Amino acid sequence: GSGKSSLLMLMGGLERASAGRVTALGEDLGALSEDALARFRRGAMGIVFQSFHLVPTMTARENVALPLEMAGAPDAWERAGAELETVGLGHRAGHYPAEMSGGEQQRTALARALVTRPAILLADEPTGNLDQANGAAVMDLMFRLRAEYGTTLVLVTHAPELAARCDRVVRIEDGRIAADEGRA
């Protein structure tokens, strides 16, 4: 209720600011048309939600290939397969979300968010629907891939142990910044 997820939605251009400006990678997101905003997100951002948001009628590989296909990438199928291998799910590429565990679904969502090699990865409580072991595995993978790909990770979490792994922690209470610790 403090506004963390709303802030992430604004940062991702999924919601429009009612006041002020939201800038990402030098772009004023509020000044972009819906089409331009979608192109910006597709090229520069990956988003991982707590509830996965996988298309239930698509296999893991089809879900991961989707952003590439929308961008017209001719090698979408191969890149999706490679990204699933990276997150340890190459053997599950032909499975539908309902046939996968929560941890597998979240790793599929992570593969989909990272397959385009975005400059920014937004993650909204990415371990919230997972048990402790799967949550830890997903976060280890997320931080490893962040370092490997050079992606900026913006993570919303209630978990102090996850926040402690971040370079900067901004604590929000009642819609206001209560603390800003770490590198600016």
Side-chain angles (χ1 to χ4, degrees):
S2 64
K4 296 180 301 294
S5 294
S6 294
L7 178 60
L8 205 67
M9 298 294 273
L10 289 169
M11 293 171 92
L14 297 169
E15 291 182 9
R16 298 272 185 179
S18 56
R21 283 180 25 167
V22 177
T23 4
L25 303 172
E27 290 284 344
D28 180 352
L29 301 187
L32 298 177
S33 69
E34 288 300 321
D35 287 345
L37 196 51
R39 281 191 302 276
F40 176 78
R41 271 194 308 268
R42 183 177 63 221
M45 289 187 179
I47 304 173
V48 179
F49 297 98
Q50 178 177 349
S51 55
F52 320 134
H53 290 290
L54 297 173
V55 180
T57 57
M58 295 178 129
T59 65
R61 182 179 240 163
E62 290 168 337
N63 267 283
V64 175
L66 189 59
L68 295 169
E69 289 173 340
M70 292 176 70
D75 58 347
W77 197 249
E78 294 77 21
R79 286 171 59 187
E83 199 68 30
L84 283 168
E85 288 290 341
T86 298
V87 300
L89 290 176
H91 66 291
R92 303 288 278 167
H95 289 79
Y96 293 91
E99 299 171 326
M100 295 186 288
S101 71
E104 289 172 332
Q105 289 181 56
Q106 190 60 299
R107 285 186 286 154
T108 300
L110 179 58
R112 182 184 57 198
L114 289 171
V115 74
T116 61
R117 299 297 184 269
I120 301 170
L121 175 63
L122 304 176
D124 192 4
E125 293 283 358
T127 60
N129 285 333
L130 303 177
D131 61 44
Q132 189 171 1
N134 276 313
V138 165
M139 286 315 301
D140 287 345
L141 179 62
M142 190 173 292
F143 278 96
R144 180 176 65 78
L145 294 175
R146 173 201 67 150
E148 186 178 321
Y149 297 164
T151 299
T152 296
L153 173 62
V154 179
L155 172 67
V156 168
T157 185
H158 286 95
E161 65 277 6
L162 292 182
R165 294 178 69 176
C166 297
D167 297 328
R168 181 179 179 188
V169 177
V170 177
R171 194 167 37 91
I172 299 175
E173 292 177 4
D174 298 323
R176 300 208 180 275
I177 294 175
D180 186 350
E181 306 154 5
R183 290 181 241 160

